[in-house]
Amino acid sequence: MIDKHQKLFKAELMTTTKTENKDAVRVRDMTIDDFSAVFHMGEELFTSDYSSSMYRTWDEYEITTLYNSDNELCLVAEADGELLGFALGTTVDKQNSAWKYGYLVWIGVRPGLHQKGVGASLFGEIKQRMVEQGVRMIIIDTDADNEAGIRFFKKLGFDNIQQHVYMTLNLSRKAGRKRSRKA
């Protein structure tokens, strides 16, 4: 069973992007005035129930750091003045490499708008901007059990899925103390 959070990343590629009420989706540069709405949408999307790693790393500094370093890769989608989604990315130049990499760090679409093309529109614009910046490969990551997200990215042409191990150590739990044995 796919929960509502997994569905947030699901989208179908459409030739024209329309919301339910047929308003055209417009993708534009994110501005400082969008920070609060983007942050709160991310809080709604990236919960601890959805993904502990996304929940752990989503905070207001994610937005401000990416905006301050690569604001041309910070986008929002809107229709009729209403925020529908966002995409935040960056580029990476590796020393001694001819390749420049793009990293789509965050993409989120308001609940209830999956399969409306909002995510695909955001990705299309950020991809175009990365190409213009000389990016030769775009990298994304998502949880291995995010089936909807994986399908979404596969539809966009991503492949070569790699799995990695993510581990945590909860330091707030008291470790069980072993009783010492007396001889």
Side-chain angles (χ1 to χ4, degrees):
M1 182 171 146
I2 297 174
D3 67 25
K4 74 173 190 169
H5 296 291
Q6 288 175 321
K7 290 181 182 178
L8 296 173
F9 292 98
K10 186 177 178 186
E12 290 181 356
L13 299 177
M14 305 170 100
T15 55
T16 59
T17 305
K18 303 277 186 185
T19 59
E20 289 243 340
N21 60 5
K22 306 298 182 204
D23 293 327
V25 172
R26 187 182 99 155
V27 175
R28 63 169 174 79
D29 293 339
M30 185 173 76
T31 67
I32 291 171
D33 292 337
D34 297 314
F35 281 23
S36 179
V38 168
F39 174 69
H40 291 301
M41 183 181 293
E43 278 188 316
E44 185 179 348
L45 299 173
F46 310 125
T47 65
S48 60
D49 290 337
Y50 171 69
S51 166
S52 62
S53 63
M54 286 184 176
Y55 174 75
R56 177 186 56 82
T57 57
W58 178 257
D59 60 30
E60 63 275 13
Y61 301 109
E62 280 290 291
I63 300 167
T64 58
T65 300
L66 289 165
Y67 186 81
N68 287 329
S69 64
D70 284 305
N71 64 344
E72 64 280 358
L73 297 177
C74 295
L75 309 173
V76 295
E78 67 179 2
D80 215 15
E82 182 180 1
L83 184 72
L84 306 178
F86 62 90
L88 307 172
T90 190
T91 59
V92 178
D93 287 306
K94 292 193 64 136
Q95 232 176 353
N96 302 319
S97 174
W99 284 55
K100 184 174 187 176
Y101 298 88
Y103 178 31
L104 178 57
V105 184
W106 297 100
I107 187 167
V109 174
R110 196 179 83 209
L113 292 180
H114 13 303
Q115 299 182 7
K116 305 295 182 213
V118 176
S121 293
L122 284 162
F123 177 75
E125 181 63 26
I126 206 166
K127 176 183 170 186
Q128 180 60 41
R129 290 177 183 211
M130 287 181 177
V131 167
E132 290 169 3
Q133 292 182 17
V135 166
R136 293 180 65 183
M137 180 183 292
I138 299 175
I139 300 166
I140 60 97
D141 60 81
T142 190
D143 285 342
D145 62 351
N146 181 2
E147 295 171 11
I150 292 168
R151 278 192 306 276
F152 169 73
F153 289 116
K154 281 183 172 181
K155 284 182 181 181
L156 295 172
F158 285 85
D159 60 7
N160 194 22
I161 295 174
Q162 302 288 318
Q163 292 185 350
H164 64 277
V165 175
Y166 176 80
M167 299 173 72
T168 62
L169 173 61
N170 187 339
L171 299 177
S172 65
R173 291 187 197 151
K174 292 185 179 183
R177 295 185 181 204
K178 294 182 180 179
R179 296 181 186 228
S180 62
R181 291 185 175 172
K182 293 187 179 181

